Amino acid sequence: MVLVPLITRRDDVLTWLCLTLQYIILSHSWNIIGGYAGQRSLGHAAFFGLGALIARYLWLSGLPLFLGLLAGASTAAIFAIIIGFPTFRMRGIYFAIGTLVLAEILRIIFETTLPQASVFPTRLLATYNLVPRYYLSLLIAGLTVATVYWISHSTLGLGMISIREEQDAAEASGVDTLRHKLLAFAISSFFAGLAGGVFTYYAAALRPGQMFEPVWTFDAVVIVFVGGVGTISGPIIGAVFFVLLKQLLSIYLPGGIHILVFGVLFIIVVLFLPGGLIKLMPKLRKRISRGRHPY
Amino acid sequence: MTVELVAQTIVNGIHVGALYGLVAVGLSLIFGVMKILNIAHGEFLMVGGYVAFWVFDLYDTDPFLSLPLVAIAMFLLGAGSYKLLFSGLAKFHEESKMENSLLVGFGLFLVFPQITRMLWTTDERAITPAYSGGSLPILGVRLAYVPLGALLVALVVILALHLLLTKTYFGKSVRATTQNWKSAKLAGINVERTYLITFGLGVAIAGVAGVFVGLIHAINPDIGIGWTLKALIVVVLAGIGSIGGAFFAGLILGVVEAVGAIFMGPYTVALGLVIFLLIMIFRPRGLFGKA
């Protein structure tokens, strides 16, 4: 993966890789709170947007990119902890709806206060190059996946999973559920903020309000579910598949069809294939090895 | 002058609020009876609006006359969606059923706008019969015909729903299923059919509201989520499952927003959402809900 820009500098390949990596960051960050901790937040766009805007404005005002990214991601994490206290009073679908509403409030506020598009200044546009964008995306994606791997093998992750499976039982067996949920929310939002930061470094022009649109949440949720919720490889497979389908379909068909295809796929996964695409392979293999007596 | 302004603002608020109430009643019915939070409710509203637009545009039929047609079409669409997508969730236990229904609704929310985009493009569509701009001046306050009609239709629909639920055998089976579907099943009630019809009714009500959204505002493929959120605010305001309360809460939200718009301008939409969050956190049973 590191060597790709040495082999090819074709813009289409690099764009495709950049997008895939960014979707891996975004969807894996949702996977922490939604997949491992089982709190189906639908307000992920809020943290993506906060990270994106803060990173962009700090960076464009002259600060090093690294500091901008860190500041954006930290703000997203702190914001998550602040709103975590009231919103975690809600459970299950109420939490989902509450966070969705929260992101909508932020979207309306930013759409109204910052209606103008933010475009790179000409000196940046003149030297725009996909290679550093690619490396940054790769670095952060690696960091995200490593963090998720670490979480899934730690007691923190164990606590999160126990909350997902049965919150009352977890509480009864001594798991501090609120603390675990807040931590999961903060880590998840930190990486969502990083995803936003990487995206603003990549996108030459954007509207601030656009960063808070629910579609960021929805893409992440759909990718995680289609790939395999609460797993490490699931969101990666989901993201590769999502971007591939998006790029391929947009060549032949009017835009947006990939969302239709993914929406249908998403419903099928929810109804018939809990566990996502990564569960499909072992299932198929089992069915084939059963040979003549499939049932 | 000021008195007239205030009166006009309140009248406008009631006009909008009647629509909010109508949308919310459908959502509340479905959620109250079968514990399915249909996040695609606004999408059904949008489809209803498009159907009425189609009938109006192609066959030149007055939207008030095509209302029953839209309601029937939407009822069938709703019942079909339930049969195809939601009925399979019944096998899950309560909490995961709720969550999975949320996810299925979420999938529909992704699918419907894309289909409408293909069928009707992204253009804003409005249903504009000859009388759509007209209004009736009373004491310096203008009562526009179309919203007035919407208010009347909303009242009729809610009254009819109330009578259906309290006075008929079907209503009895709905109430029994709401209280305890297992016992209802043991007592010989066809729970599956009750669910099917209830879901269809909720969607049909959303579709009727969609006709008025097309008449008063305009419809495009992306309005769904906005209306789902409005309906959610109203349902939470009223207390979950309270149908009469949902309509009143809709009126309250409409008036609050109309008055708020004078002071808050573009932030008014956020006002309703903030109210929603505060109620969710501090009074989850809603304003009219029982403990």
Side-chain angles (χ1 to χ4, degrees), chain A residues 9-281:
Chain A
R9 296 223 160 198
R10 278 178 51 184
D11 279 352
D12 53 348
V13 176
L14 283 183
T15 304
W16 181 75
L17 284 173
C18 277
L19 281 177
T20 307
L21 289 167
Q22 285 162 17
Y23 272 114
I24 289 176
I25 308 170
L26 183 65
S27 52
H28 246 313
S29 68
W30 188 83
N31 194 24
I32 299 173
I33 183 78
Y36 284 97
Q39 308 296 310
R40 317 284 200 222
S41 157
L42 290 183
H44 215 54
F47 311 107
F48 178 84
L50 276 179
L53 283 198
I54 289 168
R56 191 175 185 93
Y57 282 103
L58 288 180
W59 176 53
L60 288 184
S61 67
L63 236 65
L65 176 67
F66 165 72
L67 280 181
L69 283 176
L70 201 65
S74 310
T75 313
I78 291 166
F79 184 64
I81 292 178
I82 295 171
I83 63 153
F85 280 105
T87 46
F88 278 129
R89 290 177 58 136
M90 302 181 264
R91 274 202 195 183
I93 56 166
Y94 301 105
F95 176 76
I97 301 297
T99 45
L100 174 66
V101 164
L102 200 83
E104 278 295 288
I105 295 175
L106 281 191
R107 184 182 67 79
I108 291 160
I109 290 173
F110 279 101
E111 208 133 79
T112 322
T113 47
L114 300 166
Q116 251 154 12
S118 154
V119 186
F120 280 172
T122 33
R123 83 187 145 79
L124 278 174
L125 279 178
T127 56
Y128 187 88
N129 184 357
L130 273 173
V131 176
R133 268 92 190 159
Y134 169 75
Y135 278 123
L136 182 72
S137 309
L138 185 64
L139 177 76
I140 306 283
L143 199 66
T144 314
V145 176
T147 309
V148 175
Y149 181 82
W150 169 75
I151 287 177
S152 68
H153 286 76
S154 68
T155 44
L156 172 68
L158 210 59
M160 278 157 56
I161 292 169
S162 73
I163 294 172
R164 174 185 75 195
E165 295 302 330
E166 188 61 68
Q167 182 168 338
D168 294 324
E171 184 93 55
S173 44
V175 177
D176 186 345
T177 52
L178 181 64
R179 203 179 70 97
H180 275 77
K181 284 200 274 188
L182 281 177
L183 252 166
F185 206 23
I187 298 172
S188 160
S189 305
F190 184 84
F191 284 104
L194 275 184
V198 174
F199 183 78
T200 62
Y201 178 59
Y202 163 83
L206 51 85
R207 277 182 306 108
Q210 176 199 348
M211 296 291 94
F212 293 87
E213 268 172 17
V215 64
W216 297 106
T217 310
F218 298 164
D219 284 352
V221 175
V222 170
I223 287 173
V224 170
F225 267 91
V226 170
V229 63
T231 61
I232 292 166
S233 51
I236 300 176
I237 295 173
V240 171
F241 197 47
F242 183 79
V243 177
L244 200 66
L245 208 62
K246 186 175 175 175
Q247 306 289 69
L248 281 181
L249 289 177
S250 59
I251 297 175
Y252 303 108
L253 293 163
I257 301 296
H258 70 284
I259 299 179
L260 178 63
V261 174
F262 250 78
V264 174
L265 213 58
F266 175 79
I267 294 178
I268 294 173
V269 166
V270 168
L271 287 181
F272 304 111
L273 197 70
L277 286 182
I278 62 160
K279 287 278 164 61
L280 198 59
M281 283 315 287

